[in-house]
Amino acid sequence: MTVLLASLFSNPTILAVGAGMIGAAGAWMHGRLTGAKAERLNQIATGAKTTTGGRADR
């Protein structure tokens, strides 16, 4: 098991692919959060009610 992990973490191609996957996931999550925040601010600005029945200024 240790030899397998050592070979995976010492291979630059596998490290580059893993870093690319982590970077893509991070960018996707950042975009989702930014879009959700923009939508909340848009709803507050237009005075729209939330679908959960809560306050719109949260």
Side-chain angles (χ1 to χ4, degrees), residues 18-58:
M21 291 171 61
I22 290 171
W28 177 77
M29 287 189 302
H30 181 268
R32 296 277 297 179
L33 292 174
T34 303
K37 182 178 180 180
E39 180 62 26
R40 284 192 305 270
L41 292 175
N42 185 29
Q43 288 178 355
I44 291 169
T46 59
K49 300 286 184 190
T50 59
T51 58
T52 60
R55 293 183 1 211
D57 60 347
R58 275 197 250 180

Side-chain angles (χ1 to χ4, degrees), residues 1-19:
M1 185 69 174
T2 305
V3 174
L4 177 64
L5 288 175
S7 67
L8 288 176
F9 287 126
S10 65
N11 188 338
T13 303
I14 292 177
L15 289 176
V17 169

